[in-house]
Amino acid sequence: MKIQSIRGMNDLLPEQSATWQYLERAVADVLGRYSYREIRFPILEQTELFKRAVGEVTDIVEKEMYSFEDRNGDSLSLRPEGTAGCVRACTQNGLLHNQTQRLWYTGPMFRHERPQKGRLRQFHQIGVEAFGLTGPDIDAELLLITARLWKTLKIDHAVTLQINSLGTSADRAKYREALVEFLTARHEQLDEDSQRRLTSNPMRILDSKNPDVQALLNDAPSLKDFIDEESRTHFEQLCAVLDAANIPYEINPRLVRGLDYYSKTVFEWVTTHLGAQGTVCAGGRYDGLVEQLGGKPCPGVGFAMGIERLVLLLDELAVVPDSVGQTVDVYLVAVGDVEQQALVLAEKLRSDCPSIRLECHCGGGSFKSQIKKADKSGAAIALILAEDEAKAGTVGVKYLRKDTSQETIAQTDVTELLKHHF
Ligand code: ATP
Ligand code: MG
């Protein structure tokens, strides 16, 4: 039997990788324009890091982590998200001491969830984190970045922004009490999942996908009545920037997010085009996290976007330019005993015209079969080198996307021709 990949861990085939690169380059470019710098940290960390950062009673830590004992008996986990590792790396390397940092990272994350469209066990995120800044201005900047990115990718019409404020952890403790009191009185109306959460993580009930539970919540106490003056002002100022920058948003008082570490601002960009997995980007402020992980107190705010979901959306909306899948400009056909000359000519052309993507045919074969390959490659021009041309120092030029007849030119003139054409 052939060995298969692990369920929910997909291969990324060359056909799809062009779109991924297109997306990743667009993000890196936008982030660069806001002076964010890339940070890289390991995929494996101590399990304890995620327990402390994400929270013991979250879905991630309770049932989704890939944890194992390594050969020394240490409990390690594949990262289920990036913020914990990013904070650990920054603290350990002294990046947060009296400084601000604007950072981003990308890579695989691992969660043992039920695989479905837009939900995988190995998935990929691009994460952005800003440290050392307390005000709503930096929260707003992160949202401006995402809004610009959606515009760049031409998906801005398909995503909407939802925001909320979670207040401080003291505010949430008071609210949690009120919510638990309200829901305990209606215990038998809750589904099993929500009943379980009532004792472990009651705020997550607000997140429930069950319409009956959502209906019940209509009369529940609202978090916004519990948040303190400072959080309220912070939130109002954030909204004011969004208004001034013409970024539409919806205040969703039930947006609580699945991780424990958030405070004040939380947000999600959602789309209706991907079915149940509609959140393409999510984040918020986490002022207590650095201290919780043993660092000196340092405010932070960030978000992560799911690459698979964004790629699905790009495909769904057909907004990726055709040129993105196009990888060959010129195809050099080499017929007969001319391999050496062909490779040398190809090298010269690559040196002369660095922006041109040139595929040199290898492996021989008839003229007909090679021209077929040239055509299939998507190249605009086939250069033809057979034994006659090789002897004469010439090359045939065939325009594959134009109805003109083949011509023969000196090899020394090819550079000029390519520079002119591309
Ligand atoms: P969801 O509610 O969809 O499970 P989440 O709140 O668990 O999302 P976050 O931890 O906030 O997700 O991760 C940020 C983003 O990463 C999500 O908005 C989504 O785009 C993506 N993401 C999260 N989990 C997965 C997954 N299992 N497969 C693919 N993408 C994911
Ligand atoms: Mg989840």
Side-chain angles (χ1 to χ4, degrees):
M1 227 177 67
K2 276 194 207 123
I3 296 174
Q4 301 285 320
S5 67
I6 297 166
R7 199 162 105 85
M9 303 203 178
N10 287 353
D11 302 309
L12 181 66
L13 303 180
E15 199 143 308
Q16 307 152 305
S17 64
T19 304
W20 279 57
Q21 287 179 352
Y22 166 73
L23 171 64
E24 287 161 349
R25 282 183 192 141
V27 180
D29 175 62
V30 167
L31 288 167
R33 295 175 63 195
Y34 287 79
S35 85
Y36 284 65
R37 297 181 300 162
E38 187 182 359
I39 181 167
R40 302 187 188 192
F41 44 87
I43 287 167
L44 265 184
E45 298 272 1
Q46 310 271 0
T47 300
E48 185 60 23
L49 174 71
F50 302 115
K51 283 193 178 166
R52 268 209 255 166
V54 177
E56 295 260 13
V57 287
T58 54
D59 285 350
I60 290 181
V61 170
E62 279 183 342
K63 48 189 191 200
E64 295 175 0
M65 277 215 290
Y66 281 90
S67 302
F68 62 94
E69 262 185 26
D70 81 349
R71 290 169 192 278
N72 307 326
D74 298 326
S75 178
L76 307 183
S77 294
L78 287 167
R79 61 185 186 194
E81 56 96 57
T83 304
C86 185
V87 167
R88 201 266 316 128
C90 287
T91 311
Q92 186 173 337
N93 293 286
L95 265 54
L96 302 183
H97 188 63
N98 290 333
Q99 297 165 69
T100 61
Q101 295 287 350
R102 287 173 159 93
L103 305 170
W104 68 273
Y105 51 82
T106 180
M109 307 292 162
F110 302 85
R111 297 183 194 175
H112 196 278
E113 303 192 71
R114 195 167 68 78
Q116 50 199 293
K117 183 182 171 192
R119 192 175 297 285
L120 295 147
R121 290 182 173 171
Q122 174 173 330
F123 63 100
H124 299 76
Q125 288 183 337
I126 299 172
V128 179
E129 319 282 356
F131 294 102
L133 296 159
T134 50
D137 48 353
I138 187 71
D139 303 19
E141 179 175 279
L142 292 179
L143 291 172
L144 294 171
I145 289 175
T146 48
R148 180 179 294 279
L149 183 64
W150 312 144
K151 228 184 221 137
T152 306
L153 295 170
K154 302 190 173 61
I155 57 172
D156 48 319
H157 61 287
V159 290
T160 54
L161 174 61
Q162 301 198 345
I163 55 175
N164 191 23
S165 176
L166 298 182
T168 64
S169 58
D171 300 339
R172 281 204 302 285
K174 270 184 274 164
Y175 173 67
R176 198 175 298 128
E177 235 171 77
L179 183 67
V180 167
E181 191 183 324
F182 174 87
L183 291 173
T184 306
R186 291 154 185 84
H187 192 264
E188 69 291 348
Q189 288 166 262
L190 293 173
D191 59 19
E192 207 180 304
D193 215 30
S194 301
Q195 288 180 350
R196 192 177 55 82
R197 283 180 169 155
L198 193 53
T199 45
S200 62
N201 196 350
M203 299 269 290
R204 287 304 308 279
I205 299 174
L206 299 179
D207 234 8
S208 170
K209 303 267 191 303
N210 182 336
D212 296 335
V213 174
Q214 281 298 332
L216 188 65
L217 288 167
N218 285 334
D219 304 318
S222 178
L223 175 57
K224 74 175 188 315
D225 300 325
F226 287 75
I227 70 171
D228 64 313
E229 190 59 36
E230 196 205 323
S231 298
R232 202 190 316 267
T233 311
H234 186 102
F235 191 60
E236 280 164 8
Q237 287 172 346
L238 170 62
C239 293
V241 177
L242 296 176
D243 290 334
N246 278 322
I247 305 209
Y249 58 90
E250 205 178 288
I251 297 175
N252 176 358
R254 292 190 194 164
L255 184 65
V256 288
R257 311 279 308 112
L259 298 86
D260 263 1
Y261 51 57
Y262 290 109
S263 54
K264 289 184 178 158
T265 313
V266 288
F267 60 86
E268 288 191 0
W269 285 95
V270 295
T271 178
T272 54
H273 294 258
L274 299 180
Q277 273 59 249
T279 305
V280 294
C281 173
R285 181 166 277 283
Y286 48 85
D287 290 343
L289 181 63
V290 175
E291 195 178 9
Q292 199 173 306
L293 293 178
K296 288 220 181 72
C298 176
V301 54
F303 64 80
M305 43 199 154
I307 299 185
E308 283 83 358
R309 291 186 196 178
L310 284 169
V311 167
L312 282 172
L313 188 57
L314 290 172
D315 287 342
E316 177 87 23
L317 301 173
V319 287
V320 179
D322 287 342
S323 59
V324 165
Q326 172 68 44
T327 55
V328 184
D329 301 312
V330 177
Y331 195 101
L332 178 54
V333 167
V335 189
D337 190 15
V338 297
E339 282 96 348
Q340 187 183 322
Q341 256 204 51
L343 287 166
V344 171
L345 175 61
E347 280 307 291
K348 177 180 176 328
L349 295 175
R350 291 190 189 102
S351 299
D352 290 349
C353 316
S355 65
I356 290 173
R357 294 160 305 176
L358 188 152
E359 179 167 337
C360 181
H361 184 88
C362 288
S366 69
F367 172 77
K368 204 169 152 211
S369 69
Q370 291 194 34
I371 274 291
K372 231 185 196 162
K373 276 204 171 134
D375 189 42
K376 222 177 137 202
S377 77
I381 293 178
L383 297 175
I384 297 148
L385 189 70
E387 282 169 9
D388 286 351
E389 284 87 357
K391 260 188 222 117
T394 60
V395 68
V397 180
K398 187 173 167 63
Y399 292 92
L400 297 167
R401 319 283 149 206
K402 274 198 297 195
D403 203 12
T404 53
S405 52
Q406 190 176 318
E407 59 192 36
T408 301
I409 64 170
Q411 286 179 15
T412 46
D413 292 339
V414 180
T415 296
E416 216 30 62
L417 179 129
L418 294 183
K419 279 190 173 160
H420 178 76
H421 188 274
F422 291 100

